Amino acid sequence: MNQQKANIQQIIRKEFPKITTEADLLQLLNRINSELHKEFFAAKDKKVPPIKLATLKYYKNYKVSGAKRYKTFTIKKKSGKDRFINAPAKGLKLIQQCLNEILQTYYQINDNACGFIPDRSIVYGAKLHTDKPYVLNIDLKDFFDTITFPRVKKVLALPPFNLTGSKEPVAYIITSLCCHPKAVAKVDENGEKITEIKQVLPQGAPTSPILTNIVCRNLDRHLAGLAKRFKANYSRYADDITFSAHKNIFQQDSVFMLELKRIIEDEQGLTINPEKTRVQSKRQRQEVTGLVVNKKVNVPQRYVKQLRLWIHYWEKFDIEKAQHFFLQQYITQRGNVKSHKSHIENVIGGKLDYMRMVVGESNPAYKKLRRRLDNLIQIEEHKKSTSAPQQTSSYKQKQCAKTNKEYIADGNGIQSLSSEQLPFTHKDDLEVLLDGLINDLSKENQSL
């Protein structure tokens, strides 16, 4: 823990128990805000601007601030569907960042929660399930929409927050700042689908991740007890729940599965998504939060092949053309506006950093890809320093000499390559292409 974090937590532990009014809460928020941003403003020879009471009142009342609280955009899920993200307005985000420090200070970490906790990552959770004969993955349907205003306010009334009695108005204010109205789908008594306006945790607010962990404390405790009873391992990353065991206790209608459903749905009021519930045996590729865990924690092969392909574009063509080909793929994958501004060097570098976190710096595949990227960056820096016109590489000339025509596969089959399409003439390209085609066929078969 760095000194800034230690100072903030010391202030919170001293002052938060004394809070009884909105003015008390604002005073603490401003002390946290000052600690978070004092170095930034000191460098500009300025004081940290305080959060005003009018700002707090404005954002706590959604009927007043309304649509100005959040800006909504979408990103692509793995399934291809859109995930809606709510980015808070600048003033609200600042308040939520300070509230997040309070929530983080008092959150009691358990061994099974892996997401949104300092010094933990998806690797932490995946390691619990390596080299196991059976792995069960469960997804909680519409997870953030099920964390409603009453549930958040209720956990703030419990230890260690204890916002009850004369402190209850503070719990109401904090909950109001962290929740936002949304039309939530539900099934009525007649089995018909209807929508209902509820205040829920918005995906994108700084406070939402830690509040899901706080609300799910009982869920984690009961599921950990269930895992212990059946000699299994359990972990949860937000709405992704994983169990692993040496025996197949995950058969439909088994004692384990019935008890699991009772805890999640009947006791906790959450919903299991049957479409994303799957059991993976040792003979299959076992994945936990996107990482392969059959023998050890690793990134999927397709992740590595995608990196090899993008690096190959850069080696084969100049940086401008490689960027063009890269963006065609990346925008399709990500599906949001910011992707248009993404640069191939930054994205490859970020993905390699992620790969290093998962497999370690000594991994041969990582080291090879990192060397190739570093070499390309050095070449580009040399070009810029000498201001020499870019020449067609001998590698590109050799590739052009080997083939007279290039092809691409799309939804209409194998097509001749146009000047604006992506070329598939290399082993990396073909592997990624075939993986994609197999994945598409698999999805089509599942929908039949």
Side-chain angles (χ1 to χ4, degrees), residues 396-419:
K396 181 180 175 182
Q397 290 172 346
K398 289 178 183 178
Q399 286 296 107
C400 293
K402 288 181 182 178
T403 180
N404 295 322
K405 201 167 188 178
E406 293 175 322
Y407 299 90
I408 186 171
D410 58 20
N412 299 316
I414 306 298
Q415 308 292 333
S416 298
L417 178 70
S418 71
S419 59

Side-chain angles (χ1 to χ4, degrees), residues 162-195:
N162 300 311
L163 296 178
T164 58
S166 62
K167 296 182 178 182
E168 187 177 350
V170 177
Y172 184 89
I173 294 168
I174 293 174
T175 308
S176 299
L177 289 164
C178 296
C179 293
H180 188 66
K182 181 181 178 181
V184 178
K186 62 175 290 187
V187 179
D188 65 11
E189 296 176 353
N190 300 320
E192 296 182 3
K193 291 184 178 180
I194 60 172
T195 57

